[in-house]
Amino acid sequence: MPPKSITDLTLVKELLDTVGGEDAITVVKLCEKKRKMTTDEELSKKMKKKVTEVRAILNKLHFRGIACYQKARNQKTGWYNYTWEIKKDRIAEIIEEQQKENLEKLNNKMKLEADYSLFDCTKCNHREVFEVAAEYNFICPTCGGNMTSANDPNRQKELLTKIKNIEKELTLLNKMK
Ligand SMILES: [Zn+2]
């Protein structure tokens, strides 16, 4: 089933959690649901959180350009009202930037592990190519632990799955922004 909200995507969840804390996802969900500008008071009521707490989250999101606000003076009270909007395209932009680098790293890792016979120390993760590891009789030159092949087909599969999942989410995100 295709995701209904961008907050269903793991990459979006992770980003919002890092930027605004665990409640940031709820803020974005509520704003997304309303489809128009939402005041921080409304959010505070719906989330059963103090307005100051909601504002703190919104400010963190604002700092990264994910949330933006409009300020208007309430004619009756004379106070300022802040209405907030979530910028989905900005969320997509940040994630694309992040994942571009991450995908490159994962692809390189996969290629390297497929091209060379690599051996990892089971204790300290020290890595050597086959020739060097064989010279040491597959005993880690750093800590004396056993070295085993890193060319694990399961690991290759795992890396590929990771890459595919990220690519899939990026495509979805692009359609939903
Ligand atoms: Zn070691």
Side-chain angles (χ1 to χ4, degrees):
M1 211 175 72
K4 283 195 189 103
S5 154
I6 58 162
T7 53
D8 291 333
L9 301 174
T10 314
L11 293 177
V12 175
K13 275 185 210 160
E14 281 171 2
L15 172 74
L16 293 176
D17 197 68
T18 316
V19 173
E22 54 176 345
D23 291 319
I25 293 158
T26 317
V27 169
V28 172
K29 244 185 211 167
L30 288 170
C31 287
E32 200 185 26
K33 218 172 159 183
K34 236 193 140 203
R35 286 176 191 283
K36 54 178 180 173
M37 309 288 273
T38 317
T39 66
D40 34 21
E41 283 88 2
E42 279 177 296
L43 287 171
S44 131
K45 260 183 228 154
K46 280 194 182 135
M47 292 170 71
K48 297 187 173 64
K49 294 238 170 224
K50 284 186 200 150
V51 179
T52 48
E53 283 177 282
V54 174
R55 271 182 202 149
I57 299 168
L58 285 164
N59 283 332
K60 283 181 202 159
L61 295 175
H62 179 245
F63 185 70
R64 294 295 305 270
I66 295 170
C68 64
Y69 64 83
Q70 272 171 23
K71 202 167 118 178
R73 194 194 281 275
N74 185 315
Q75 300 298 341
K76 276 187 220 156
T77 61
W79 292 90
Y80 280 106
N81 273 342
Y82 290 85
T83 49
W84 291 84
E85 191 185 2
I86 297 298
K87 296 280 180 203
K88 281 200 234 175
D89 47 353
R90 176 63 186 149
I91 293 177
E93 191 181 270
I94 298 173
I95 289 175
E96 255 161 43
E97 254 167 50
Q98 280 179 343
Q99 294 308 319
K100 210 171 132 189
E101 220 173 285
N102 192 21
L103 279 174
E104 210 175 280
K105 262 189 221 156
L106 288 171
N107 275 313
N108 282 340
K109 208 171 174 183
M110 208 170 79
K111 205 163 159 259
L112 193 75
E113 287 184 10
D115 285 355
Y116 298 94
S117 237
L118 295 168
F119 280 74
D120 285 336
C121 171
T122 49
K123 264 198 213 160
C124 74
N125 289 320
H126 178 77
R127 176 168 274 194
E128 292 289 357
V129 292
F130 171 80
E131 290 77 7
V132 179
E135 248 173 63
Y136 287 104
N137 282 319
F138 304 101
I139 301 295
C140 173
T142 311
C143 78
N146 285 317
M147 300 197 82
T148 57
S149 172
N151 296 68
D152 184 347
N154 284 330
R155 232 183 102 72
Q156 286 277 308
K157 226 161 104 190
E158 213 175 274
L159 278 170
L160 190 68
T161 311
K162 224 180 194 173
I163 291 169
K164 292 279 167 223
N165 280 342
I166 292 172
E167 283 171 346
K168 197 176 125 196
E169 289 218 338
L170 286 177
T171 313
L172 284 168
L173 188 59
N174 249 313
K175 280 187 200 157
M176 296 166 87
K177 75 182 177 188

